[in-house]
Amino acid sequence: MKRNYIHFIKYAICIGLPLLNSCSDDFLEPKALSFFEPTSTFTTREGLQAALTSCDRQAVYVFMGEGAPIYTDLSFSEVVVSRKTDKSTPAQNMDISLTPTSNNNNVDYNKTGWFWDDWYRAIRFANTVISNIDNVEGLDAEIHDQMLSVAYFHRAWRYYNLIFQFGDVPFLTKEAVGPKFNYHSTKMDVIIGKMITDLEYAVEHAPVTANYGNITRGACRHLLVKFYLAAGEFDKAIEQANILIDQSGYALMKDNFGTFVNPMPNIHPITRNVIWDLHRPENKAIPENTEVIWVMTQDDDLDNSRLAGQTMRTAVPWWSATNNQAILTPDGEVGMSCSYVDTHDKLDLRKTYGRGVAFFGGTWYSTHSIWDDSNDLRHSSESGNWMRMEDLVYNEPSLEGKSQWYGKHLQLYDDKGNILCPDTIANWFDWPHYKLWIEDKRQELQNNYNGGAANWYIFRLAETYLLRAEAYFWKGDKQKAADDVNEIRKRAHCTKMYSANDMTMALLWTKEPEN
């Protein structure tokens, strides 16, 4: 058998060598089974609409994508800060963590690179429409102008975010048709000027109405106001805001409306109010809501949508922490539990508030300093809209029947002044319950209750009022600025109204103290 094996090898070599010498390298060339040809794909209305739909879809991921990217953006404002103390992944070294190419084991925990990639991905889709729309034969002129306006809007919204996140950035205005390696940054002012020109066209040609989630003339006008403010064109910003507020069919919601949701009335009853109704996902995309300008919509079947928001997991305190980070009762026992099995028929705080892990949480400024009216519904614990840690109760099941503290409100200190929460960064801060609570049916029977899929506001008329107030302020008309701010305060049932002098003080409060 050994001899036969050797003969076989010799035979294979004799036969194979001539074949190798006669073969060409053609077999190494890849042979594509199909080709993506933009000059064919984007010569139809359907092809262009697919690109615009991709732009719409990309907007969803900003708010409902993995890791809630919007919170990274907010963490560099006065609104929230990172509160994750048990991991090293949050941004700590700014030079290392906060560049578009930074990652940790190929995971962009801080979403800086995600924003860079995602904004430019949507710009690519928008530029594809802008560059190819004139190649569509027989496209109705009105449809042409509407689609072009929507593409202008999507590109402008991405550049608005890019320049205020990164400063001067590469400015791409045409479809990329080949590799390019010599990108250079463009001054913000140049980008702002071009986006204003585009949006001035869009406010004349974009659709007046559209399906929820799609772009309308109102959304284009609202974004144009933002760009006019960025350019210091305050009179133009006021003019466009006036049209949006007074002549476009929008109005602030001032009374209860839509579906009333009172999720856990036995533990956390809600006194129905307009602020609560306004922020219920069920009410954000309904005709009755005249305040919505641009809303991010999910699938019709929200319960089975693959894009859950995780709002409560991300931005609610880690009240259920264990081990050396657990919140204790005044007699030293672990006081909190998020166990579905043990609490679902008792004090189920997991479902009532969400199983937070405090990736981000409000700053002292956003949770305390700005609230100056005890009647303000946006900061009302009495109505159920706002949550303080002292509003929670000890719910650890093992305490029931054994400890006087079961079912009693949390305390930060015991009678001797000893602190009962070892980690007040991650585990102890206020939060806007009315904004963050979202039903999570897919985790109904689990310890986690993170926050499900939902419709989400991107632009609404309340912001338009505040944008106009800002324009009035910088123009020097502080009383009109106060009047616009007061419209929002009235709707929130505030009794304290602002004067022109309050607008001046508001600017002073934003400055760093002298000592």
Side-chain angles (χ1 to χ4, degrees):
M1 290 183 66
K2 182 177 180 181
R3 186 169 56 251
N4 291 340
Y5 180 77
I6 293 173
H7 285 313
F8 174 79
I9 295 298
K10 290 180 178 179
Y11 176 80
I13 292 174
C14 291
I15 296 298
L17 284 176
L19 290 176
L20 289 174
N21 290 333
S22 62
C23 287
S24 69
D25 293 336
D26 291 346
F27 76 97
L28 296 175
E29 294 295 328
K31 293 180 174 56
L33 300 178
S34 63
F35 291 92
F36 170 67
E37 181 52 61
T39 57
S40 299
T41 304
F42 298 115
T43 56
T44 66
R45 176 181 175 181
E46 291 76 13
L48 297 182
Q49 186 59 54
L52 292 178
T53 300
S54 295
C55 290
D56 292 330
R57 189 60 176 166
Q58 289 299 117
V60 175
Y61 288 98
V62 178
F63 303 92
M64 290 288 172
E66 183 180 357
I70 188 62
Y71 283 103
T72 288
D73 200 38
L74 292 174
S75 69
F76 292 94
S77 73
E78 74 284 3
V79 179
V80 303
V81 293
S82 174
R83 288 183 174 269
K84 199 66 177 158
T85 57
D86 63 331
K87 297 185 185 308
S88 61
T89 48
Q92 296 172 355
N93 185 314
M94 299 301 181
D95 292 335
I96 295 175
S97 301
L98 293 174
T99 62
T101 55
S102 66
N103 63 63
N104 186 332
N105 295 325
N106 297 318
V107 178
D108 182 23
Y109 287 103
N110 297 297
K111 297 301 177 185
T112 312
W114 183 95
F115 273 115
W116 182 273
D117 292 342
D118 201 71
W119 296 141
Y120 275 112
R121 187 177 297 113
I123 287 170
R124 182 186 67 199
F125 290 132
N127 280 340
T128 297
V129 175
I130 294 167
S131 295
N132 289 280
I133 194 166
D134 290 334
N135 299 329
V136 180
E137 295 183 3
L139 185 63
D140 178 80
E142 182 179 6
I143 298 299
H144 170 284
D145 294 347
Q146 288 181 352
M147 296 183 77
L148 182 59
S149 297
V150 171
Y152 280 158
F153 172 90
H154 279 298
R155 185 170 69 178
W157 185 61
R158 271 65 180 201
Y159 273 121
Y160 183 86
N161 286 282
L162 273 169
I163 61 177
F164 286 109
Q165 287 176 329
F166 298 104
D168 299 340
V169 296
F171 187 34
L172 315 179
T173 60
K174 298 179 181 179
E175 178 189 21
V177 295
K180 180 178 172 65
F181 302 99
N182 59 340
Y183 288 106
H184 299 283
S185 292
T186 300
K187 291 293 185 183
M188 290 175 60
D189 292 346
V190 175
I191 298 174
I192 290 170
K194 172 58 177 169
M195 297 302 97
I196 285 175
T197 299
D198 290 347
L199 289 170
E200 287 173 339
Y201 176 91
V203 298
E204 299 297 330
H205 298 95
V208 176
T209 61
N211 292 331
Y212 288 109
N214 297 134
I215 303 306
T216 63
R217 195 169 297 187
C220 295
R221 200 177 304 278
H222 185 90
L223 184 56
L224 180 56
V225 172
K226 289 173 173 277
F227 271 105
Y228 276 145
L229 281 171
E233 297 278 2
F234 304 126
D235 286 328
K236 291 183 178 180
I238 292 168
E239 178 185 7
Q240 292 299 322
N242 288 343
I243 295 172
L244 198 57
I245 291 170
D246 301 324
Q247 304 172 31
S248 301
Y250 300 101
L252 293 178
M253 299 303 299
K254 298 182 179 180
D255 299 306
N256 301 340
F257 73 99
T259 301
F260 176 50
V261 178
N262 194 3
M264 298 292 283
N266 295 330
I267 300 176
H268 186 93
I270 301 294
T271 302
R272 189 173 189 182
N273 61 87
V274 64
I275 297 299
W276 179 263
D277 283 350
L278 184 66
H279 287 85
R280 300 285 50 78
E282 296 85 350
N283 299 335
K284 290 181 178 180
I286 60 174
E288 191 179 351
N289 187 348
T290 57
E291 186 165 331
V292 59
I293 297 173
W294 182 25
V295 62
M296 180 218 73
T297 57
Q298 288 270 39
D299 304 322
D300 291 337
D301 184 6
L302 291 176
D303 295 338
N304 293 313
S305 172
R306 64 188 180 89
L307 280 178
Q310 300 193 9
T311 53
M312 297 183 289
R313 174 180 172 82
T314 302
V316 167
W318 190 17
W319 55 265
S320 61
T322 56
N323 300 325
N324 62 341
Q325 290 179 287
I327 295 175
L328 305 177
T329 63
D331 55 3
E333 300 293 330
V334 173
M336 312 301 289
S337 171
C338 66
S339 167
Y340 163 75
V341 172
D342 296 332
T343 69
H344 77 277
D345 58 350
K346 297 179 180 179
L347 294 176
D348 188 357
L349 303 190
R350 167 201 65 99
K351 183 176 178 180
T352 306
Y353 306 112
R355 189 249 177 182
V357 296
F359 279 108
F360 298 94
T363 61
W364 181 267
Y365 173 81
S366 69
T367 58
H368 290 78
S369 297
I370 63 175
W371 305 106
D372 57 2
D373 193 314
S374 60
N375 296 304
D376 195 327
L377 285 174
R378 299 166 297 181
H379 197 245
S380 168
S381 296
E382 290 74 18
S383 68
N385 288 348
W386 189 266
M387 279 301 300
R388 304 168 303 170
M389 292 301 296
E390 293 85 355
D391 296 324
L392 274 70
V393 298
Y394 295 107
N395 78 325
E396 166 55 45
S398 63
L399 300 178
E400 187 178 12
K402 299 179 181 179
S403 171
Q404 62 172 317
W405 297 106
Y406 181 77
K408 299 290 183 64
H409 288 287
L410 268 58
Q411 296 181 196
L412 184 56
Y413 299 95
D414 65 15
D415 293 340
K416 296 181 180 180
N418 299 312
I419 195 164
L420 301 174
C421 176
D423 188 348
T424 55
I425 295 175
N427 305 352
W428 198 280
F429 55 89
D430 291 8
W431 75 93
H433 183 57
Y434 71 97
K435 285 187 177 181
L436 298 181
W437 193 89
I438 298 176
E439 187 174 20
D440 196 352
K441 289 185 178 180
R442 287 177 297 180
Q443 296 188 324
E444 185 73 29
L445 309 182
Q446 301 178 26
N447 293 345
N448 290 335
Y449 199 85
N450 296 332
N455 299 325
W456 202 260
Y457 293 123
I458 303 180
F459 294 164
R460 58 188 175 96
L461 196 67
E463 185 190 15
T464 313
Y465 274 93
L466 298 180
L467 292 173
R468 188 170 69 175
E470 184 177 347
Y472 278 132
F473 178 90
W474 290 113
K475 189 184 174 185
D477 196 336
K478 296 182 177 62
Q479 185 54 57
K480 286 188 176 179
D483 291 342
D484 275 344
V485 172
N486 287 338
E487 281 298 311
I488 308 302
R489 293 179 66 80
K490 289 175 186 175
R491 192 266 294 281
H493 293 189
C494 294
T495 54
K496 176 183 177 179
M497 295 295 120
Y498 287 167
S499 66
N501 185 60
D502 291 321
M503 294 295 98
T504 302
M505 292 303 297
L507 180 64
L508 294 176
W509 290 336
T510 64
K511 295 182 179 180
E512 292 293 329
E514 298 269 331
N515 48 39

